[in-house]
Amino acid sequence: MDNFLIQIKNIFQGAPFATCVFDASGTVLYINPLFESNISQEDLPFVGKSLYHLIHQFLVDDRLEKQLKRLIETDKPFSLIVETLSSPRIKAQGFLNIIGYKLNSVYIIIGDYVSGGLAREGRYKQLIEGAPDAIVIMNHGVITFSNPAFNTIMDMPVHDIMGKELFSFIDEKARQDLMAIKGNFAKTFFARINVNTSSGQKILEGNFHFIEDRPGTSIALLRDVTEKVSLEKRLLRQNQDLAAVNLISKTLSSSIDLKEVLQNTLAQVLQIMNIETGWIYLLKEETQRLKCAYSYGIPEDVVHSIKELKIGEGIAGRVAEKGEPIIIMNASEDRRIRSLLFKKQGIQSFASIPLYSRTRLIGVMNIGSFGQRIISSEDERLLITIGVHMGTVMENILLFQEIANTSKELKDALNLIRQRNEELRTLVSTVSHDLKNPIIAINGFCERFLRSAGSKLNDKEIEYLKAIQESGNHMEKFVSNLLTLSAVENLKLVKEEFPVHTLIDNISIEMAEQLNQKQGAIITESVLPRIKADETRVMQVFSNLISNAIKYAAPSRALKIQIGYEPAPNTHVFYVKDNGMGIPEEHINHVFDIFYRTHEDYAEGTGIGLSIVKKAVTVMGGDIWLKSEIDKGSEFYFSLPME
Ligand code: ADP
């Protein structure tokens, strides 16, 4: 007990408040010097007397007595403002703010005068007690008063705070910081301190003020900034993360070469995170294996041992399987790390992140720190974001490569087709060329044989010979058409000016006999101009169209072929119309295809004529189209560019 009293004495001896310590019977055990100095000599000593008795001599009402009794009965601390009697036995008269609480087995009241009008209105008490900020008054660091806001922050009853040093609630580092700050400022300083409260560590900040006329007395006005600080930290982290992602995005979009992108991005991630090593796996979809595509900061032989992983194998394999990152803060203690690789390399903390595009997993990035920097769950958000960025860009690059490869394949295929086409054309023209003479010979000899031996042959034999001759003629026509087609395509264009009407006149003369057979007539409907074009090809166009009109004339009516000209912007448009049998609708789109025929039963042909026409118009830079109605007739139009 004595020891405890000595301790109490030490605390309150120099206190700026009047302090009185008493036992459960109300007997005074100790009063501090400030208390003593406010009471007249005749009432001293206080120690050993009944506090209740004394109270009656000094105070206006008995509320303090009631509170004291309650404190002793229930241990409930109290705070009260009481008025002193105006008596010469009390040196400072007025209102006293009194706090009472139990400390171990004794009871303590501390009182301070509240000044003037404020006190009379009871506002002083209200102000301090109701203040949203924590107010702590200390005497040489020992807390002699704390308001409810401080008690709430500390999550402790007032008597657990009162009489303790503020330092006992803060750690060594905070103490040193506080002392260092205090050393720099004479009267007032601002500080932020970590305080250990009943509900964990909190961060308080505010002003510490030393009262000049009461040496050793200080007041701290503090505020709980725990949330603010963590918010600040989070904001700072988010800002840093954003800047990091921004930098990485720039690097990612700096190239379309996958290797270069991986190299630069990994280097950047390591730099931003301040860690030393990393390696990236790409997922091979066909084999469902992860292949190490690029590594940094680990020796070649080590890279070799991690070159390929199955899905689910190793940490990266598990990340690929689950699609979630794995972060290992302490590799030496983590059971997930089985590989000796980490131990040998001295990797301390480690993260494995999936690289995801919008639709699929592209790969996995592993990063490791040798010690300086610990990769922790705080890095997870940043790493996931980086993973998604990288995955998306990598997918784009891979798609781009695929497109590039496909378009190369397409180009190669096109070239092959062109080459084959060319070969085929050469073959057709060579074969046609080579066939032409023997066919002419066969036809000629057949003719001569019929003429010289015709009378000696019987009807059957003559019929056979005529069939040979007919087939020969067809073949000759066929070969000659093929040769024309090949020539139309391959021969050089010769542009000359010529009158189209002369050309039509010549064709009319040439075809006069066939026309007569069908009782046909060619009518030129408009003035046909002089044009500058390849005359041979224009002739081939007109002559094929007119010969078809004659060939496919309707047997029921006299054939009428109309030829005309329609000027159009920058082009000449000519037409050849007939009133023949027309072309069924379903065939209209195909008549220009080589070997395509309709009306086979009606007239002989090779199916090459309109192909020659189309090719001739096309090589001259024009276009050809037609309208046709079955049993009414057909209209062929073609355009040629004006010079
Ligand atoms: P061919 O006349 O040797 O059969 P073409 O290439 O000249 O070959 O013509 C293709 C087909 O188009 C012909 O078989 C014929 O059925 C149809 N055709 C062409 N011109 C006419 C036309 N003026 N009237 C009706 N049908 C036509």
Coordinates of all heavy atoms in Angstrom, one line a residue, residues 177-206:
D177 N 9.8 9.4 -32.1 CA 9.4 10.4 -33.1 C 8.8 11.6 -32.3 O 9.1 12.8 -32.6 CB 8.3 9.8 -34.0 CG 8.9 8.8 -35.0 OD1 10.2 8.8 -35.0 OD2 8.2 8.2 -35.7
L178 N 8.0 11.3 -31.3 CA 7.3 12.3 -30.6 C 8.3 13.2 -29.9 O 8.3 14.4 -29.9 CB 6.4 11.7 -29.6 CG 5.2 12.6 -29.1 CD1 4.4 13.1 -30.2 CD2 4.4 11.8 -28.1
M179 N 9.3 12.6 -29.3 CA 10.4 13.3 -28.6 C 11.2 14.2 -29.5 O 11.5 15.3 -29.2 CB 11.3 12.4 -27.8 CG 10.7 11.6 -26.7 SD 9.6 12.7 -25.6 CE 10.9 13.6 -24.8
A180 N 11.4 13.6 -30.7 CA 12.2 14.3 -31.7 C 11.4 15.6 -32.1 O 12.0 16.7 -32.2 CB 12.5 13.5 -32.9
I181 N 10.1 15.4 -32.4 CA 9.3 16.5 -32.8 C 9.3 17.6 -31.7 O 9.5 18.7 -31.9 CB 7.9 16.1 -33.2 CG1 7.9 15.0 -34.3 CG2 7.1 17.3 -33.7 CD1 6.6 14.4 -34.6
K182 N 9.1 17.0 -30.5 CA 8.9 17.9 -29.4 C 10.2 18.8 -29.2 O 10.1 20.0 -28.9 CB 8.7 17.1 -28.1 CG 8.5 18.0 -26.9 CD 8.3 17.1 -25.7 CE 8.4 17.9 -24.4 NZ 9.7 17.9 -23.8
G183 N 11.3 18.1 -29.4 CA 12.6 18.8 -29.3 C 12.7 20.0 -30.2 O 13.4 21.0 -29.9
N184 N 12.1 20.0 -31.3 CA 12.2 21.0 -32.3 C 11.3 22.2 -32.0 O 11.4 23.3 -32.6 CB 11.9 20.5 -33.7 CG 13.0 19.6 -34.1 OD1 14.1 19.7 -33.7 ND2 12.7 18.7 -35.1
F185 N 10.3 22.0 -31.2 CA 9.3 23.0 -31.0 C 9.2 23.4 -29.5 O 9.2 22.5 -28.7 CB 7.9 22.6 -31.5 CG 7.9 22.3 -33.0 CD1 8.1 21.1 -33.4 CD2 7.7 23.4 -33.9 CE1 8.1 20.8 -34.8 CE2 7.7 23.1 -35.2 CZ 7.9 21.8 -35.7
A186 N 9.1 24.6 -29.2 CA 9.2 25.0 -27.8 C 7.8 24.8 -27.1 O 7.7 24.1 -26.1 CB 9.5 26.5 -27.7
K187 N 6.8 25.3 -27.7 CA 5.5 25.3 -27.0 C 4.4 24.4 -27.7 O 3.7 23.6 -27.0 CB 4.9 26.7 -27.0 CG 5.5 27.5 -25.8 CD 4.7 28.8 -25.5 CE 4.4 29.5 -26.7 NZ 3.9 30.9 -26.5
T188 N 4.4 24.5 -29.0 CA 3.3 23.7 -29.7 C 3.9 22.9 -30.8 O 4.8 23.4 -31.5 CB 2.3 24.7 -30.2 OG1 1.8 25.5 -29.1 CG2 1.1 24.0 -30.9
F189 N 3.5 21.7 -31.0 CA 3.9 21.0 -32.1 C 2.8 20.0 -32.6 O 1.9 19.7 -31.8 CB 5.2 20.2 -31.9 CG 5.1 19.2 -30.8 CD1 4.7 17.9 -31.2 CD2 5.4 19.5 -29.5 CE1 4.6 16.9 -30.2 CE2 5.3 18.5 -28.5 CZ 4.9 17.2 -28.9
F190 N 2.9 19.7 -33.9 CA 1.9 18.8 -34.5 C 2.6 17.4 -34.6 O 3.8 17.3 -34.9 CB 1.6 19.3 -35.9 CG 0.7 18.3 -36.6 CD1 -0.7 18.4 -36.4 CD2 1.2 17.4 -37.5 CE1 -1.6 17.5 -37.1 CE2 0.4 16.5 -38.1 CZ -1.0 16.6 -38.0
A191 N 1.8 16.4 -34.3 CA 2.4 15.0 -34.4 C 1.3 14.0 -34.8 O 0.2 14.2 -34.6 CB 3.1 14.6 -33.1
R192 N 1.8 13.0 -35.4 CA 0.9 11.8 -35.8 C 1.5 10.6 -35.0 O 2.7 10.3 -35.2 CB 1.0 11.6 -37.3 CG 0.1 10.5 -37.7 CD 0.1 10.4 -39.2 NE -0.9 11.2 -39.8 CZ -1.2 11.2 -41.1 NH1 -0.6 10.3 -41.9 NH2 -2.1 12.0 -41.6
I193 N 0.7 10.0 -34.2 CA 1.3 8.9 -33.4 C 0.4 7.6 -33.6 O -0.8 7.7 -33.7 CB 1.4 9.2 -31.9 CG1 0.1 9.8 -31.4 CG2 2.6 10.1 -31.7 CD1 0.0 10.0 -29.9
N194 N 1.1 6.5 -33.5 CA 0.4 5.2 -33.4 C 0.1 4.8 -32.0 O 1.0 4.8 -31.2 CB 1.3 4.1 -34.0 CG 1.4 4.2 -35.5 OD1 0.6 5.0 -36.1 ND2 2.3 3.5 -36.1
V195 N -1.2 4.6 -31.7 CA -1.6 4.4 -30.3 C -2.2 3.0 -30.2 O -3.0 2.6 -31.0 CB -2.6 5.4 -29.8 CG1 -3.0 5.2 -28.4 CG2 -2.0 6.8 -30.0
N196 N -1.7 2.2 -29.1 CA -2.3 0.9 -28.9 C -3.6 1.1 -28.0 O -3.5 1.5 -26.9 CB -1.3 0.0 -28.2 CG -0.1 -0.1 -29.0 OD1 -0.1 -0.3 -30.2 ND2 1.1 0.0 -28.4
T197 N -4.7 0.8 -28.6 CA -6.0 0.9 -27.8 C -6.5 -0.5 -27.6 O -5.9 -1.5 -28.1 CB -7.0 1.7 -28.6 OG1 -7.5 0.8 -29.7 CG2 -6.4 2.9 -29.3
S198 N -7.6 -0.6 -26.8 CA -8.1 -1.9 -26.5 C -8.6 -2.6 -27.8 O -8.7 -3.8 -27.8 CB -9.3 -1.8 -25.5 OG -8.8 -1.4 -24.3
S199 N -9.0 -1.7 -28.8 CA -9.5 -2.4 -30.0 C -8.5 -2.3 -31.1 O -8.8 -2.0 -32.3 CB -10.8 -1.7 -30.4 OG -10.8 -0.3 -30.2
G200 N -7.2 -2.4 -30.7 CA -6.2 -2.4 -31.8 C -5.4 -1.1 -31.9 O -5.8 -0.1 -31.3
Q201 N -4.5 -1.2 -32.9 CA -3.7 0.0 -33.1 C -4.4 1.1 -33.9 O -5.1 0.8 -34.9 CB -2.4 -0.3 -33.8 CG -1.3 0.8 -33.5 CD 0.0 0.4 -34.1 OE1 0.2 0.2 -35.3 NE2 1.0 0.2 -33.2
K202 N -4.4 2.3 -33.4 CA -5.0 3.4 -34.2 C -4.0 4.5 -34.4 O -3.0 4.6 -33.7 CB -6.2 4.0 -33.4 CG -7.4 3.0 -33.3 CD -8.5 3.6 -32.6 CE -9.6 2.6 -32.5 NZ -10.6 3.0 -31.5
I203 N -4.3 5.4 -35.4 CA -3.4 6.5 -35.7 C -4.1 7.8 -35.3 O -5.2 8.0 -35.7 CB -3.0 6.5 -37.2 CG1 -2.4 5.2 -37.6 CG2 -2.1 7.7 -37.5 CD1 -2.4 5.0 -39.1
L204 N -3.4 8.5 -34.4 CA -4.0 9.8 -33.9 C -3.1 10.9 -34.4 O -1.9 10.8 -34.4 CB -4.1 9.8 -32.4 CG -4.8 8.7 -31.7 CD1 -4.9 9.0 -30.2 CD2 -6.2 8.4 -32.3
E205 N -3.7 12.0 -34.7 CA -2.8 13.2 -35.0 C -3.4 14.4 -34.4 O -4.7 14.5 -34.2 CB -2.7 13.3 -36.5 CG -3.9 13.7 -37.3 CD -3.7 14.0 -38.7 OE1 -2.7 13.5 -39.3 OE2 -4.5 14.8 -39.3
G206 N -2.6 15.4 -34.1 CA -3.1 16.6 -33.6 C -2.0 17.4 -33.0 O -0.8 17.2 -33.1

